[in-house]
Amino acid sequence: MSLASQSIKTAEMLPGIPRLGAIPGLQNYSLAEAAELLRCFPRFLEDNLKELPHQKIGAAVAFDADELLEIKNLFRVRPAGAGTALRDAPPLALADIAPSRRRQRV
C-alpha cells in the first residue's frame, strides 16, 4: 500500500478532518481569476509569467493566495522617503500653525 493511499484512508476514517479540496488555503485560481483578484488585465500576467510566482500543472497555469500576495508585494510602489519628513520634523507649536493662503479670506 502506498503512502498516498494510506493517507487517503486515514482521512476517510477521521470524520473531523476535511478533504484536500475543502481546505481554504489550498484553493488555486486560474489566470483569469487571478487577474480579477489583482485588478489587472490577464494579458499582464501572461506577459510577465516568467517573472511571477505561479504553478504550472500540465499546461495549465495556476496561482494560490500566497502567490497572489507575493505578486502584489512585487509591484507595490512606495514613494521614496514616505513618512520620514513627518517623523524627523520637530513638532510645531500651536501658535506657529497658520492657514494656507488659499484658505485665508480677504
Side-chain angles (χ1 to χ4, degrees):
M1 185 180 295
S2 71
L3 184 61
S5 62
Q6 286 176 352
S7 64
I8 290 172
K9 287 188 178 190
T10 305
E12 290 171 353
M13 291 187 302
L14 300 173
I17 296 178
R19 294 191 173 274
L20 184 65
I23 300 173
L26 294 180
Q27 182 177 359
N28 280 342
Y29 301 97
S30 69
L31 199 103
E33 293 169 329
E36 184 178 335
L37 289 169
L38 292 170
R39 306 280 194 253
C40 69
F41 294 105
R43 179 65 189 251
F44 171 79
L45 295 176
E46 291 170 358
D47 291 346
N48 295 293
L49 201 56
K50 289 183 179 180
E51 291 83 28
L52 299 176
H54 65 281
Q55 303 166 38
K56 190 89 175 209
I57 303 170
V61 174
F63 302 88
D64 65 13
D66 291 334
E67 291 161 343
L68 294 177
L69 287 173
E70 191 173 341
I71 291 170
K72 281 183 67 172
N73 288 331
L74 284 171
F75 291 94
R76 190 173 304 270
V77 177
R78 300 202 186 270
T84 57
L86 293 176
R87 258 194 325 252
D88 297 338
L92 294 174
L94 191 55
D96 296 336
I97 299 175
S100 67
R101 289 195 174 123
R102 290 184 311 190
R103 296 284 295 165
Q104 293 176 352
R105 296 182 182 184
V106 186

